[in-house]
Amino acid sequence: MGAKLSTFSIVAADPETGEVGVAVQSKFLAVGAAVSHARAGVGAVAVQAHPNILHGEMGLDLMSSAGFDPQETIDYLLKDDQGENSRQLGIVDIHGRSASFTGSDCFQHAMGVTGPCYACQGNILASAEVVPAMAGTFEATPGRLPERMVQALRAGQAEGGDARGVEAAHLYIVKPGGGYGGNHDRYIDLRVDHHDDPIEELWKLLSLHLSLIHI
């Protein structure tokens, strides 16, 4: 089945700016390549624990073409999934609706917290405070979506984060025409694939990115 993506993540949207994306940290090399999925004008999906990676793009397709909301999307993805109990999913759509799912076989601490415009989730966490700290920080932090999402990761890490330690982090945000040159949607795609302090390195990269690219 492969390595478990012991991970904590947030999917979040800003309907006013059209930004939507995923921020994630894990003791898993290049975690963003597996967990993070987003589509401008549609939403974002995080797949983790023992994920079916295809659920990322499938979920975005369901929201885009079938008009499903995040909970309907999760229900559809898992209805015939033999590995349902080992999955963890977080989904937000561009309207700010959100849903999270944690299978019964995910290792403790494993949970999800949802609110307007976000869903936070994690598994194999150092404490039961990691995910609530992420959610509370996201709600309480003013400013732009990218900073709020990384601050949520920092809050989760401050409560112990991944029980196995740290390795990689990723921030992936899309918005219509938001990419460099204005002819694509990849607004922010910053990866720290292997580092002793990946969230803080991600924060440094984000600060540099915003100062140089998005003044």
Coordinates of all heavy atoms in Angstrom, one line a residue, residues 21-91:
G21 N -6.7 27.1 -2.5 CA -5.5 26.3 -2.5 C -5.4 25.4 -1.3 O -6.3 25.2 -0.5
V22 N -4.1 24.8 -1.2 CA -3.8 23.9 -0.2 C -2.4 24.3 0.5 O -1.5 24.7 -0.3 CB -3.6 22.4 -0.8 CG1 -3.3 21.4 0.3 CG2 -4.8 22.0 -1.6
A23 N -2.3 24.1 1.8 CA -1.0 24.2 2.5 C -0.9 23.0 3.3 O -1.8 22.5 4.0 CB -0.9 25.5 3.3
V24 N 0.3 22.4 3.3 CA 0.5 21.1 3.9 C 1.9 20.9 4.4 O 2.9 21.5 3.9 CB 0.2 19.9 2.9 CG1 1.0 20.0 1.6 CG2 0.3 18.6 3.5
Q25 N 2.1 20.1 5.5 CA 3.4 19.7 6.0 C 3.3 18.3 6.4 O 2.3 17.8 6.9 CB 3.8 20.5 7.3 CG 5.3 20.5 7.6 CD 5.8 19.2 8.3 OE1 6.9 18.8 8.1 NE2 5.0 18.5 9.1
S26 N 4.4 17.6 6.2 CA 4.5 16.1 6.5 C 5.9 15.6 6.7 O 6.8 16.2 6.1 CB 3.8 15.3 5.4 OG 3.8 13.9 5.7
K27 N 6.1 14.6 7.4 CA 7.3 13.8 7.4 C 7.3 12.9 6.3 O 7.2 11.6 6.4 CB 7.5 13.1 8.8 CG 8.7 12.2 8.9 CD 10.0 13.0 8.8 CE 11.2 12.1 9.1 NZ 12.5 12.8 8.9
F28 N 7.3 13.5 5.1 CA 7.1 12.7 3.8 C 7.8 13.5 2.7 O 7.4 14.7 2.5 CB 5.6 12.5 3.5 CG 5.4 11.5 2.4 CD1 5.2 10.2 2.6 CD2 5.3 12.0 1.1 CE1 4.9 9.3 1.6 CE2 5.0 11.1 0.0 CZ 4.8 9.8 0.3
L29 N 8.7 13.0 2.0 CA 9.5 13.7 1.0 C 8.6 14.2 -0.1 O 7.7 13.5 -0.6 CB 10.5 12.7 0.4 CG 11.4 13.3 -0.7 CD1 12.4 14.3 0.0 CD2 12.2 12.2 -1.4
A30 N 8.7 15.5 -0.4 CA 8.0 16.2 -1.5 C 6.5 16.0 -1.3 O 5.8 15.6 -2.3 CB 8.5 15.7 -2.8
V31 N 6.0 16.2 -0.2 CA 4.6 15.9 0.2 C 3.6 16.5 -0.8 O 2.5 16.0 -1.1 CB 4.3 16.2 1.6 CG1 4.3 17.7 1.9 CG2 2.9 15.7 2.0
G32 N 3.9 17.7 -1.2 CA 2.9 18.5 -2.1 C 2.6 17.8 -3.4 O 1.5 17.9 -3.9
A33 N 3.5 17.0 -3.9 CA 3.3 16.3 -5.1 C 2.2 15.3 -5.0 O 1.5 14.9 -6.0 CB 4.6 15.5 -5.6
A34 N 1.9 14.8 -3.8 CA 0.8 13.8 -3.6 C -0.5 14.5 -3.0 O -1.6 14.1 -3.5 CB 1.3 12.7 -2.6
V35 N -0.3 15.4 -2.1 CA -1.5 15.9 -1.3 C -2.3 16.9 -2.1 O -3.5 17.0 -2.0 CB -1.0 16.4 0.0 CG1 -2.1 17.1 0.8 CG2 -0.5 15.2 0.9
S36 N -1.6 17.9 -2.7 CA -2.2 19.2 -3.1 C -2.8 19.1 -4.5 O -2.1 18.8 -5.5 CB -1.1 20.3 -3.0 OG -0.5 20.3 -1.8
H37 N -4.1 19.5 -4.6 CA -4.8 19.6 -5.8 C -5.7 20.8 -5.8 O -6.5 21.0 -4.8 CB -5.7 18.3 -6.1 CG -4.9 17.1 -6.0 ND1 -4.4 16.5 -7.1 CD2 -4.5 16.3 -4.9 CE1 -3.7 15.4 -6.7 NE2 -3.8 15.3 -5.4
A38 N -5.7 21.6 -6.8 CA -6.6 22.8 -6.9 C -6.8 23.2 -8.3 O -6.0 22.9 -9.2 CB -5.9 24.0 -6.1
R39 N -8.0 23.9 -8.5 CA -8.4 24.3 -9.8 C -9.1 25.7 -9.7 O -10.0 25.8 -8.9 CB -9.3 23.3 -10.5 CG -9.6 23.6 -12.0 CD -10.4 22.5 -12.6 NE -9.8 21.2 -12.5 CZ -10.4 20.0 -12.7 NH1 -11.7 20.0 -13.1 NH2 -9.7 18.9 -12.6
A40 N -8.6 26.6 -10.5 CA -9.1 28.0 -10.4 C -10.6 28.0 -10.7 O -11.1 27.3 -11.7 CB -8.4 28.9 -11.3
G41 N -11.4 28.8 -10.0 CA -12.8 28.9 -10.2 C -13.6 27.7 -9.7 O -14.8 27.7 -9.8
V42 N -12.9 26.7 -9.1 CA -13.6 25.4 -8.7 C -13.4 25.2 -7.2 O -14.3 25.2 -6.4 CB -13.1 24.2 -9.5 CG1 -13.7 22.9 -9.0 CG2 -13.4 24.4 -11.0
G43 N -12.1 24.9 -6.8 CA -11.9 24.5 -5.4 C -10.5 23.9 -5.2 O -9.7 23.9 -6.1
A44 N -10.3 23.3 -4.0 CA -9.1 22.6 -3.7 C -9.4 21.4 -2.9 O -10.4 21.3 -2.2 CB -8.2 23.5 -2.9
V45 N -8.5 20.4 -3.1 CA -8.6 19.1 -2.4 C -7.3 18.7 -1.9 O -6.3 18.7 -2.6 CB -9.1 18.0 -3.4 CG1 -9.3 16.6 -2.7 CG2 -10.4 18.4 -4.1
A46 N -7.3 18.2 -0.6 CA -6.1 17.6 0.0 C -6.4 16.1 0.2 O -7.5 15.8 0.8 CB -5.8 18.2 1.3
V47 N -5.5 15.2 -0.3 CA -5.7 13.8 -0.1 C -4.5 13.3 0.8 O -3.4 13.5 0.4 CB -5.8 13.0 -1.4 CG1 -7.0 13.5 -2.2 CG2 -4.5 13.2 -2.3
Q48 N -4.8 12.5 1.8 CA -3.7 12.1 2.7 C -4.1 10.8 3.5 O -5.1 10.2 3.2 CB -3.4 13.3 3.7 CG -4.5 13.8 4.5 CD -4.2 15.2 5.0 OE1 -3.9 16.2 4.2 NE2 -4.4 15.4 6.3
A49 N -3.3 10.5 4.5 CA -3.3 9.2 5.2 C -2.9 8.1 4.2 O -1.7 8.2 3.7 CB -4.6 8.9 5.8
H50 N -3.7 7.1 3.8 CA -3.4 6.2 2.7 C -4.3 6.7 1.6 O -5.4 6.1 1.3 CB -3.8 4.7 3.1 CG -2.7 4.0 3.8 ND1 -1.4 4.0 3.4 CD2 -2.7 3.3 5.0 CE1 -0.7 3.3 4.3 NE2 -1.4 2.9 5.2
P51 N -3.8 7.7 0.8 CA -4.7 8.3 -0.1 C -4.8 7.6 -1.4 O -3.9 6.8 -1.9 CB -4.0 9.7 -0.4 CG -2.6 9.3 -0.3 CD -2.5 8.3 0.8
N52 N -6.0 7.8 -2.1 CA -6.1 7.5 -3.5 C -5.8 8.8 -4.2 O -6.6 9.7 -4.2 CB -7.5 7.0 -3.9 CG -7.7 6.7 -5.3 OD1 -6.9 7.2 -6.2 ND2 -8.7 6.0 -5.7
I53 N -4.6 9.0 -4.8 CA -4.2 10.2 -5.4 C -5.2 10.7 -6.4 O -5.4 11.9 -6.6 CB -2.8 10.1 -5.9 CG1 -1.8 9.6 -4.9 CG2 -2.3 11.4 -6.5 CD1 -1.7 10.6 -3.7
L54 N -5.8 9.8 -7.1 CA -6.8 10.2 -8.1 C -8.0 10.9 -7.6 O -8.7 11.6 -8.3 CB -7.3 8.9 -8.9 CG -6.2 8.2 -9.7 CD1 -6.8 7.0 -10.4 CD2 -5.5 9.1 -10.7
H55 N -8.2 10.8 -6.3 CA -9.3 11.5 -5.7 C -9.2 13.0 -5.8 O -10.2 13.8 -5.8 CB -9.5 11.1 -4.2 CG -10.2 9.8 -4.0 ND1 -10.2 9.2 -2.8 CD2 -10.9 9.0 -4.9 CE1 -10.9 8.0 -2.9 NE2 -11.3 7.9 -4.1
G56 N -7.9 13.5 -5.9 CA -7.7 14.9 -6.0 C -8.4 15.5 -7.3 O -9.3 16.4 -7.2
E57 N -8.0 15.0 -8.5 CA -8.5 15.5 -9.7 C -10.0 15.1 -9.9 O -10.8 15.8 -10.5 CB -7.7 15.1 -10.9 CG -6.3 15.7 -10.9 CD -6.3 17.2 -10.9 OE1 -7.1 17.8 -11.7 OE2 -5.7 17.8 -10.0
M58 N -10.3 13.9 -9.4 CA -11.7 13.4 -9.5 C -12.6 14.3 -8.7 O -13.7 14.7 -9.2 CB -11.8 12.0 -9.0 CG -11.2 10.9 -9.9 SD -11.1 9.3 -9.1 CE -12.8 9.0 -8.9
G59 N -12.2 14.7 -7.6 CA -13.0 15.6 -6.7 C -13.2 17.0 -7.4 O -14.3 17.5 -7.4
L60 N -12.1 17.5 -8.0 CA -12.3 18.8 -8.7 C -13.2 18.7 -9.9 O -14.0 19.6 -10.2 CB -10.9 19.3 -9.2 CG -9.9 19.6 -8.0 CD1 -8.5 19.9 -8.6 CD2 -10.4 20.9 -7.2
D61 N -13.1 17.5 -10.6 CA -14.0 17.3 -11.7 C -15.5 17.3 -11.3 O -16.4 17.8 -11.9 CB -13.7 16.0 -12.4 CG -12.4 16.0 -13.3 OD1 -12.0 17.2 -13.6 OD2 -11.9 15.0 -13.6
L62 N -15.8 16.6 -10.1 CA -17.1 16.5 -9.6 C -17.7 17.9 -9.3 O -18.9 18.2 -9.5 CB -17.2 15.6 -8.4 CG -17.0 14.1 -8.7 CD1 -16.7 13.3 -7.4 CD2 -18.2 13.5 -9.5
M63 N -16.9 18.7 -8.7 CA -17.3 20.1 -8.3 C -17.5 20.9 -9.6 O -18.5 21.7 -9.6 CB -16.3 20.7 -7.3 CG -16.4 20.1 -5.9 SD -15.4 21.1 -4.7 CE -13.8 20.7 -5.2
S64 N -16.7 20.7 -10.5 CA -16.7 21.5 -11.7 C -17.8 21.1 -12.7 O -18.7 22.0 -13.1 CB -15.4 21.4 -12.5 OG -15.4 22.2 -13.7
S65 N -17.9 19.8 -13.0 CA -18.9 19.4 -14.0 C -20.2 19.0 -13.5 O -21.2 19.2 -14.1 CB -18.3 18.2 -14.8 OG -18.0 17.1 -14.0
A66 N -20.2 18.4 -12.3 CA -21.5 17.9 -11.7 C -22.1 18.9 -10.7 O -23.2 18.7 -10.3 CB -21.3 16.6 -11.0
G67 N -21.3 19.9 -10.3 CA -21.8 20.9 -9.4 C -22.0 20.5 -8.0 O -22.7 21.1 -7.2
F68 N -21.2 19.4 -7.6 CA -21.3 18.9 -6.3 C -20.7 19.9 -5.3 O -19.7 20.6 -5.6 CB -20.5 17.6 -6.2 CG -21.2 16.4 -6.7 CD1 -22.4 16.5 -7.5 CD2 -20.7 15.1 -6.5 CE1 -23.0 15.4 -8.0 CE2 -21.3 14.0 -7.1 CZ -22.5 14.2 -7.8
D69 N -21.2 20.0 -4.1 CA -20.5 20.7 -3.0 C -19.5 19.8 -2.4 O -19.4 18.6 -2.7 CB -21.5 21.3 -2.0 CG -22.2 20.2 -1.2 OD1 -21.7 19.1 -1.0 OD2 -23.4 20.5 -0.7
P70 N -18.6 20.3 -1.5 CA -17.5 19.5 -0.9 C -18.0 18.2 -0.2 O -17.4 17.2 -0.4 CB -16.8 20.4 0.0 CG -17.0 21.8 -0.6 CD -18.4 21.8 -1.2
Q71 N -19.1 18.3 0.5 CA -19.5 17.1 1.2 C -20.1 16.1 0.2 O -19.8 14.8 0.3 CB -20.6 17.4 2.3 CG -21.0 16.2 3.1 CD -19.8 15.6 3.9 OE1 -19.2 16.3 4.7 NE2 -19.5 14.3 3.7
E72 N -20.8 16.5 -0.8 CA -21.3 15.6 -1.8 C -20.1 15.0 -2.5 O -20.2 13.8 -2.9 CB -22.2 16.4 -2.8 CG -23.5 16.8 -2.2 CD -24.3 17.7 -3.1 OE1 -23.7 18.5 -3.9 OE2 -25.5 17.7 -3.1
T73 N -19.1 15.7 -2.8 CA -17.9 15.2 -3.5 C -17.3 14.1 -2.7 O -16.9 13.1 -3.2 CB -16.9 16.4 -3.7 OG1 -17.6 17.4 -4.5 CG2 -15.7 15.9 -4.4
I74 N -17.1 14.3 -1.4 CA -16.5 13.3 -0.5 C -17.3 12.0 -0.5 O -16.8 10.9 -0.6 CB -16.2 13.8 0.9 CG1 -15.1 14.8 0.9 CG2 -16.0 12.7 1.9 CD1 -14.9 15.5 2.3
D75 N -18.6 12.2 -0.4 CA -19.5 11.1 -0.3 C -19.4 10.3 -1.6 O -19.4 9.0 -1.6 CB -21.0 11.5 -0.1 CG -21.2 12.2 1.3 OD1 -20.4 11.9 2.2 OD2 -22.2 12.9 1.4
Y76 N -19.4 10.9 -2.7 CA -19.3 10.2 -4.0 C -18.0 9.5 -4.2 O -17.9 8.4 -4.6 CB -19.5 11.2 -5.2 CG -19.7 10.5 -6.5 CD1 -20.9 10.2 -7.0 CD2 -18.6 10.3 -7.3 CE1 -21.1 9.5 -8.2 CE2 -18.7 9.6 -8.5 CZ -19.9 9.3 -9.0 OH -20.1 8.6 -10.2
L77 N -16.9 10.2 -3.8 CA -15.6 9.6 -4.0 C -15.4 8.3 -3.1 O -14.7 7.4 -3.5 CB -14.5 10.6 -3.6 CG -14.3 11.8 -4.5 CD1 -13.3 12.7 -3.8 CD2 -13.8 11.3 -5.9
L78 N -16.1 8.3 -2.0 CA -15.8 7.2 -1.0 C -16.9 6.1 -1.1 O -16.7 5.0 -0.4 CB -15.7 7.7 0.4 CG -14.6 8.7 0.7 CD1 -14.6 9.2 2.1 CD2 -13.2 8.0 0.4
K79 N -18.0 6.3 -1.8 CA -19.1 5.4 -1.7 C -18.8 4.0 -2.1 O -19.4 3.0 -1.6 CB -20.3 5.9 -2.5 CG -20.1 6.0 -4.0 CD -21.4 6.6 -4.6 CE -21.3 6.8 -6.1 NZ -21.4 5.5 -6.8
D80 N -17.9 3.8 -3.1 CA -17.5 2.4 -3.5 C -16.0 2.2 -3.3 O -15.4 1.3 -3.9 CB -17.8 2.2 -5.0 CG -19.3 2.3 -5.3 OD1 -20.1 1.7 -4.5 OD2 -19.7 3.0 -6.3
D81 N -15.4 2.9 -2.4 CA -14.0 2.8 -2.1 C -13.7 1.8 -1.0 O -14.0 2.0 0.2 CB -13.5 4.2 -1.7 CG -11.9 4.3 -1.5 OD1 -11.3 3.2 -1.7 OD2 -11.5 5.3 -1.1
Q82 N -13.0 0.7 -1.4 CA -12.7 -0.3 -0.4 C -11.7 0.2 0.7 O -11.6 -0.4 1.7 CB -12.1 -1.6 -1.1 CG -13.1 -2.2 -2.1 CD -14.4 -2.6 -1.4 OE1 -14.4 -3.3 -0.4 NE2 -15.6 -2.2 -1.9
G83 N -11.0 1.2 0.3 CA -10.0 1.8 1.3 C -10.5 3.0 2.1 O -9.7 3.7 2.7
E84 N -11.8 3.2 2.1 CA -12.4 4.3 2.7 C -11.9 4.6 4.1 O -11.6 5.7 4.5 CB -13.9 4.2 2.7 CG -14.6 5.3 3.5 CD -16.1 5.0 3.6 OE1 -16.6 4.0 3.1 OE2 -16.8 5.8 4.3
N85 N -11.8 3.6 4.9 CA -11.4 3.8 6.3 C -10.0 4.2 6.5 O -9.7 4.7 7.6 CB -11.7 2.5 7.1 CG -13.1 2.1 7.3 OD1 -14.0 3.0 7.2 ND2 -13.4 0.8 7.4
S86 N -9.2 4.1 5.5 CA -7.8 4.6 5.6 C -7.6 6.0 4.9 O -6.4 6.4 4.9 CB -6.8 3.6 5.0 OG -6.9 2.4 5.7
R87 N -8.6 6.6 4.4 CA -8.5 7.8 3.7 C -8.7 9.0 4.6 O -9.4 9.0 5.7 CB -9.5 8.0 2.6 CG -9.7 6.8 1.7 CD -8.5 6.5 0.8 NE -8.8 5.5 -0.2 CZ -7.9 4.6 -0.7 NH1 -6.7 4.6 -0.2 NH2 -8.3 3.8 -1.6
Q88 N -8.1 10.1 4.2 CA -8.4 11.4 4.8 C -8.4 12.5 3.7 O -7.5 12.5 2.9 CB -7.3 11.8 5.9 CG -7.7 13.0 6.7 CD -6.9 13.3 7.9 OE1 -5.6 13.3 7.8 NE2 -7.4 13.4 9.1
L89 N -9.5 13.2 3.7 CA -9.7 14.2 2.6 C -10.1 15.5 3.2 O -10.9 15.6 4.2 CB -10.8 13.7 1.7 CG -10.6 12.5 0.8 CD1 -11.9 11.9 0.4 CD2 -9.8 13.0 -0.4
G90 N -9.7 16.6 2.6 CA -10.2 18.0 2.9 C -10.5 18.6 1.6 O -9.7 18.6 0.7
I91 N -11.7 19.2 1.6 CA -12.2 19.9 0.3 C -12.8 21.2 0.7 O -13.6 21.4 1.6 CB -13.2 19.0 -0.4 CG1 -12.6 17.7 -0.8 CG2 -13.6 19.7 -1.7 CD1 -13.5 16.7 -1.6

